[in-house]
Amino acid sequence: MDIGSFVEPARPAPRRSRQATVRWGSRVVTIGGDAPVRVQSMTNTDTVDAIGTAIQVKELAQAGSELVRITVNTPGAAAAVPYLREQLDRMGVDVPLVGDFHYNGHRLLADYPACAEALSKYRINPGNVGKGDKHDRQFGQMVEIAARLNKVVRIGVNWGSLDQELLAAMMDENAQLAEPQPPQQIMYRAIIASALQSARRAEALGLAPEQIILSCKMSGVQDLISVYRALARSCDYPLHLGLTEAGMGTKGTVASTTALAILLQEGIGDTIRVSLTPQPGEARTQEVVVAREILQSLGLRTFNPSVTACPGCGRTTSTTFQELAKQIDDYLRAQMPIWTARYPGVEGLKVAVMGCIVNGPGESKHADIGISLPGTGEAPAAPVFIDGEKALTLRGETIASDFQVLVERYIEQRFGAAREPLTVGA
Ligand code: SF4
């Protein structure tokens, strides 16, 4: 067997988009170019309820959403936006707001100038800006306001609301060909054409290329991958990625992760949103948690210390390691808002919690700090490895709490201001 002399390490391909800049006050969020892939989310509150929406925006921002989109669908919602922005500013939440417009965005932006000002970015769906001659006029009105106020625009095509006139024209043209293409191809090309034609028109109306972001959302994984590959080849605008109507629970999480991971690995995508339908009682912030996990798993961003835990098997019949892994994971996440400022670099920490001697010592040695718990029939001792070396062995009923103390001490010594040399005490 020839395995060659070098195994190419996998890493996300470099991105090549131009850069857009979204601002609110002193908060600047760069998108595309050399900026990290950004996490976006969307509220599901009625925007008319400015207080309720402000609370949810704050939760999403605290969970790590770098841009939050809100629905602006009625005069009441448009009137509430400046008040919502004011509430956020009072709470010290400077996350930029993105206004989501359909059908009447041209009127709302013109009639509610304070709303147009309070939003940092507008999402315009070219399939929902009016039909016939109204389409270009109403699209133009929104773009002109964005250009005048120096706002970024996302031209967001969605296959569920694709410009039907454009699709019909492309279908007719295709039917005239000696060898027509399959309808799926025309659908793909119509979605991309809608985005690109709208972007060109926006530029012609005065929007700078750096103020334009594109998206072409689909609900099928392979459809999304097909369209974004072609879109990325066709332009250098930053691209917002998301699988629309991904669904709920495991299905939604897996479908979004599959689609986004493949595209991000190919260097496609500058902002992402995971469109999860919350399960009853589930926090809206779950979509932010999943989006961050996708980026961290691919090595594109580092947000939280990682806890490697084995899945468990017949070699360990106790739940000790599951409980310890969860306890450590919960503890690290809960501390991050404080630790981010106190311990620079702590987000890169790797902790391992393993169930038995088979993979425990090996995996623990790869982590910064790891523990190998005793499996069934093994001596009741848990070796702890620090920076690849066995440092000590924990025993007794307090293994879990003792290990947490060791993790805290490790973080303090390695990432604290004093940066003491690492010492270990049982
Ligand atoms: S480390 Fe041990 S308990 Fe965990 S999955 Fe591997 S063999 Fe099973």
Side-chain angles (χ1 to χ4, degrees):
M1 188 192 300
D2 179 14
I3 58 169
S5 58
F6 184 71
V7 178
E8 184 73 32
R11 61 172 69 92
R15 283 169 302 125
R16 48 172 280 277
S17 60
R18 62 174 73 226
Q19 189 165 80
T21 304
V22 179
R23 291 187 170 83
W24 181 252
S26 59
R27 178 78 174 267
V28 176
V29 180
T30 48
I31 297 172
D34 60 359
V37 179
R38 302 294 184 183
V39 173
Q40 186 167 323
S41 61
M42 185 170 186
T43 56
N44 63 354
T45 51
D46 182 352
T47 308
V48 172
D49 174 11
I51 298 294
T53 304
I55 290 168
Q56 193 176 78
V57 170
K58 182 180 179 187
E59 288 168 356
L60 291 164
Q62 284 180 335
S65 184
E66 294 161 295
L67 298 147
V68 178
R69 184 155 52 114
I70 57 172
T71 300
V72 188
N73 56 338
T74 60
V81 170
Y83 181 58
L84 157 64
R85 182 71 265 181
E86 197 184 308
Q87 295 305 311
L88 289 168
D89 293 344
R90 270 199 208 146
M91 292 190 284
V93 180
D94 59 359
V95 67
L97 294 175
V98 184
D100 194 56
F101 295 98
H102 300 270
Y103 313 114
N104 56 359
H106 59 293
R107 273 205 308 275
L108 296 178
L109 284 173
D111 293 349
Y112 295 87
C115 165
E117 285 278 5
L119 296 168
S120 303
K121 182 180 162 203
Y122 309 154
R123 184 273 171 115
I124 306 176
N125 179 341
N128 284 344
V129 290
K131 295 191 183 345
D133 60 348
K134 281 188 188 166
H135 178 280
D136 284 0
R137 192 172 67 244
Q138 293 176 176
F139 179 79
Q141 287 169 351
M142 298 178 79
V143 167
E144 280 162 12
I145 292 171
R148 178 163 47 79
L149 299 179
N150 197 24
K151 306 290 184 182
V152 168
V153 167
R154 170 159 70 92
I155 295 171
V157 180
N158 189 308
W159 83 318
S161 50
L162 177 60
D163 181 339
Q164 292 303 306
E165 290 168 13
L166 174 67
L167 179 63
M170 291 180 71
M171 286 287 186
D172 287 349
E173 201 179 293
N174 183 56
Q176 308 300 321
L177 298 176
E179 292 184 33
Q181 292 187 326
Q184 182 196 48
Q185 272 300 313
I186 309 307
M187 162 77 85
Y188 288 170
R189 290 177 46 224
I191 288 167
I192 297 166
S194 178
L196 294 178
Q197 286 176 12
S198 302
R200 271 198 291 276
R201 186 162 157 67
E203 283 194 46
L205 289 164
L207 214 57
E210 291 75 20
Q211 285 172 275
I212 299 173
I213 295 169
L214 299 186
S215 66
C216 289
K217 291 195 178 178
M218 317 273 291
S219 59
V221 171
Q222 300 295 358
D223 293 326
L224 192 86
I225 293 168
S226 307
V227 164
Y228 268 86
R229 281 176 175 163
L231 182 64
R233 278 196 304 273
S234 309
C235 69
D236 64 357
Y237 296 112
L239 301 181
H240 171 70
L241 276 190
L243 189 73
T244 191
E245 288 103 36
M248 58 168 53
T250 307
K251 186 262 171 192
T253 303
V254 171
S256 283
T257 304
T258 305
L260 269 52
I262 289 170
L263 289 166
L264 290 166
Q265 183 73 1
E266 295 177 13
I268 299 170
D270 300 285
T271 59
I272 64 169
R273 178 184 174 219
V274 175
S275 301
L276 288 182
T277 308
Q279 304 200 67
E282 187 176 56
R284 186 67 170 177
T285 49
Q286 183 62 15
E287 66 174 64
V288 179
V289 173
V290 174
R292 284 165 58 112
E293 289 292 350
I294 292 171
L295 296 178
Q296 179 149 340
S297 297
L298 287 169
L300 282 163
R301 309 253 332 240
T302 307
F303 299 107
N304 285 311
S306 63
V307 177
T308 303
C310 78
C313 69
R315 286 181 182 272
T316 179
T317 46
S318 104
T319 55
T320 308
F321 83 97
Q322 294 168 338
E323 287 156 7
L324 180 57
K326 179 158 179 13
Q327 184 182 321
I328 293 290
D329 196 45
D330 290 349
Y331 170 72
L332 294 174
R333 282 175 193 275
Q335 296 304 312
M336 279 309 284
I338 304 164
W339 285 354
T340 303
R342 189 183 297 167
Y343 302 125
V346 69
E347 65 278 5
L349 178 78
K350 290 186 171 58
V351 182
V353 179
M354 300 296 290
C356 84
I357 201 166
V358 172
N359 290 326
E363 195 69 62
S364 298
K365 282 181 193 170
H366 290 308
D368 295 312
I369 178 164
I371 186 167
S372 178
L373 294 162
T376 309
E378 292 177 16
V384 173
F385 297 81
I386 295 178
D387 292 334
E389 303 288 338
K390 184 177 167 189
L392 74 162
T393 300
L394 297 176
R395 289 186 172 81
E397 297 301 308
T398 57
I399 285 179
S401 54
D402 290 348
F403 182 63
Q404 184 167 317
V405 169
L406 286 174
V407 171
E408 285 171 34
R409 197 182 302 165
Y410 180 87
I411 289 169
E412 172 65 36
Q413 290 182 338
R414 177 163 165 199
F415 301 102
R419 303 276 168 113
E420 304 159 29
L422 295 176
T423 55
V424 182

